[in-house]
Amino acid sequence: MFNNMLAVLGRLITVLELVAYVALVALSYHSFKVLYFAGKNIIQTRSDTLLHSCFIVAVCVAIFPISSDIVRDYILALDMEKMALRQLFYLSMFVMECGFMFALVAFHWIGGCALSPLARVNLVLSVLICSVEATQFVARGIYGFDGLMPFYKTTVLTLHAATLFSTSAYPFAHFWRYNRQV
């Protein structure tokens, strides 16, 4: 039963990743200049800031799951002692999530725009994921305690699904608000 639930959640995440990629393309439909070449001279309105911030989030959300999957598969293919492999795995997943947060903030800083509510939500979700990864690193990687595995799997999948859902929902909400104003 539990494995079936995780399989369904995994499929949901795959669908939400696809929706996030579509959201990335939908955001590109607007102003190419605001999305890709933002700066203080180009971002004029609060709407431009929000659009650019959400685009940064969509790019980070599109890139980091792929890079995390590549790192995960590489680490799991290594021929190492079991506990060392666990430690490396959980530490690398923690570092990848920290990298996501760093990239999100750095791209906002480089682009010269403020963090949107969507970016803040993704940062909070990332902090929660980092907390779970760190807990699992200590519990399973250092002490060999497997009792948190169901909690770990469910929580990480749910938080990743929430990240993808929030990112995917923004363009639809944006278009809905835009159409109501017209």
Side-chain angles (χ1 to χ4, degrees):
M1 176 68 180
F2 180 71
N3 288 334
N4 290 339
M5 183 182 74
L6 290 179
V8 169
L9 200 53
R11 287 187 200 113
L12 176 67
I13 286 177
T14 303
V15 169
L16 289 173
E17 283 178 350
L18 291 173
V19 172
Y21 298 139
V22 170
L24 185 63
V25 172
L27 286 172
S28 298
Y29 174 74
H30 280 285
S31 175
F32 183 83
K33 193 185 226 185
V34 170
L35 293 179
Y36 293 99
F37 304 108
K40 290 183 179 25
N41 297 337
I42 295 172
I43 295 178
Q44 301 294 328
T45 65
R46 187 172 189 274
S47 177
D48 288 346
T49 301
L50 181 65
L51 185 63
H52 183 65
S53 176
C54 291
F55 179 73
I56 291 170
V57 172
V59 168
C60 289
V61 166
I63 291 172
F64 272 88
I66 295 168
S67 58
S68 292
D69 288 348
I70 292 169
V71 169
R72 181 199 65 221
D73 292 343
Y74 178 76
I75 289 172
L76 292 177
L78 293 174
D79 185 27
M80 295 176 67
E81 188 265 326
K82 185 178 179 180
M83 290 302 281
L85 185 63
R86 284 180 180 179
Q87 290 172 0
L88 181 61
F89 174 79
Y90 292 116
L91 181 63
S92 66
M93 292 300 105
F94 175 81
V95 169
M96 290 299 293
E97 199 63 38
C98 288
F100 171 78
M101 291 187 296
F102 176 78
L104 197 59
V105 172
F107 287 138
H108 277 84
W109 180 73
I110 290 169
C113 74
L115 293 169
S116 65
L118 176 63
R120 289 187 190 115
V121 164
N122 277 279
L123 285 173
V124 169
L125 290 170
S126 289
V127 167
L128 293 174
I129 292 170
C130 281
S131 300
V132 172
E133 293 288 353
T135 302
Q136 189 67 358
F137 172 77
V138 172
R140 192 158 190 246
I142 294 178
Y143 293 114
F145 178 66
D146 292 336
L148 294 178
M149 276 305 289
F151 169 77
Y152 170 77
K153 287 180 180 180
T154 306
T155 305
V156 168
L157 280 172
T158 304
L159 290 171
H160 280 295
T163 300
L164 289 167
F165 180 75
S166 66
T167 304
S168 302
Y170 170 75
F172 299 111
H174 176 73
F175 291 128
W176 184 70
R177 277 185 298 218
Y178 176 76
N179 287 334
R180 287 190 67 196
Q181 291 173 355
V182 173

